[in-house]
Amino acid sequence: MENHILLLYLLIFLLCIKKIFFIFLLIEAIAYAFYINNRGCMFLKIIAAPYHFTEKMMRGGAMRFIVYNISEIPSHHVRRTLYRGIGCHLADNVIVYHGAEIRHPWDLVIGKGSIIGDNALLDARCKLTIGENVNLSSNVSVYTQQHDYRDSWFRCPSPEERKMSVEIEDRVWIGSNVTVLPGVTIGEGAVCCAGSVVTKDVEPYDVVAGIPAKKIGERPRDLRYSFKGKASRFY
């Protein structure tokens, strides 16, 4: 019985340490986000230095730890506020559901009314721009960086060498389990069907499916809907 009580206390202690560590890193990350947007300010540079050091010591794991913990908070409003705090550019009425992974949040832009489904992976290392009233379903992965298998050192190409950023324009619908690879532009109103892998640009209002994704149809061009920021509570 005593061993069970000791284990319970140990578990509570570890959970408290985790939350304290999260808050510490979150404050550092918010300071760093301010510095990213105001690089000329020496005061902000000094404040941002601890995060730079922590991220280097954790080999890039600090921000992932922060984002993971934010994604577990059961409140859209709190999550949205914290995502903005660490550098994400989120317009009004944006919904980011539970479990999102965001890489390089300060290079992520999401337009008004867009919905990011649960367990999305948004890789903004080479800039990710999502337009207005876009709908990403569950388990969508969008990448803006990858290794080059043709490179002798297996390096990632730089944006100067080739286009790596991804642009998803207004009223695009991306179905569940879709993967969008670097350098892709998905035109206004396009649909990417569930499970497809998008390897090249999609023209406006095209419907694509498959691996790799290919055109299978077209969508009507008189789209008028707009999302108002309503979301499932506690998720």
Side-chain angles (χ1 to χ4, degrees):
M1 188 68 178
E2 290 182 0
N3 288 337
H4 287 93
I5 293 172
L6 286 173
L7 286 172
L8 179 61
Y9 282 144
L10 178 61
L11 178 61
I12 293 171
F13 173 74
L14 291 174
L15 288 172
C16 290
I17 291 295
K18 177 187 174 184
K19 294 304 178 186
I20 292 169
F21 188 52
F22 165 60
I23 293 169
F24 170 73
L25 289 178
L26 180 62
I27 293 169
E28 286 189 352
I30 291 171
Y32 185 74
F34 273 110
Y35 167 65
I36 289 292
N37 294 320
N38 303 274
R39 287 184 179 272
C41 179
M42 183 57 68
F43 175 70
L44 289 177
K45 185 175 183 179
I46 293 170
I47 291 177
Y51 172 78
H52 214 58
F53 174 77
T54 304
E55 191 69 284
K56 188 173 181 179
M57 291 295 293
M58 294 182 68
R59 300 178 183 175
M63 182 55 72
R64 291 200 182 186
F65 179 79
I66 292 166
V67 170
Y68 171 78
N69 279 274
I70 292 174
S71 76
E72 296 288 306
I73 296 172
S75 167
H76 287 282
H77 300 292
V78 173
R79 285 202 301 266
R80 186 163 52 222
T81 299
L82 293 178
Y83 284 137
R84 285 171 174 159
I86 61 173
C88 297
H89 303 277
L90 307 183
D92 294 336
N93 296 332
V94 169
I95 297 295
V96 182
Y97 276 103
H98 177 273
E101 179 180 345
I102 300 172
R103 302 178 184 177
H104 247 246
W106 41 87
D107 284 323
L108 173 64
V109 178
I110 304 180
K112 183 178 179 180
S114 289
I115 300 171
I116 308 301
D118 53 296
N119 301 314
L121 192 162
L122 305 178
D123 172 14
R125 286 175 292 177
C126 291
K127 194 166 182 63
L128 171 56
T129 304
I130 298 173
E132 298 183 358
N133 300 302
V134 172
N135 184 11
L136 270 62
S137 300
S138 301
N139 304 309
V140 170
S141 298
V142 183
Y143 293 94
T144 64
Q145 185 62 279
Q146 65 182 7
H147 291 278
D148 187 350
Y149 69 90
R150 294 160 296 192
D151 185 86
S152 301
W153 300 99
F154 198 47
R155 291 169 294 196
C156 296
S158 69
E160 291 74 29
E161 294 173 323
R162 72 180 74 163
K163 180 181 181 294
M164 301 296 286
S165 63
V166 171
E167 292 79 35
I168 300 173
E169 298 181 357
D170 299 347
R171 293 191 173 90
V172 166
W173 178 20
I174 300 183
S176 299
N177 300 299
V178 169
T179 300
V180 180
L181 296 182
V184 165
T185 297
I186 302 177
E188 181 178 356
V191 176
C192 302
C193 296
S196 28
V197 177
V198 184
T199 61
K200 55 186 177 182
D201 293 353
V202 179
E203 293 298 315
Y205 302 99
D206 277 2
V207 178
V208 300
I211 303 174
K214 295 181 180 179
K215 181 177 178 179
I216 61 169
E218 290 188 5
R219 197 180 188 191
R221 294 176 178 262
D222 60 341
L223 302 176
R224 302 175 186 177
Y225 64 85
S226 59
F227 300 126
K228 305 300 183 183
K230 302 294 183 182
S232 301
R233 299 187 187 279
F234 300 108
Y235 189 69

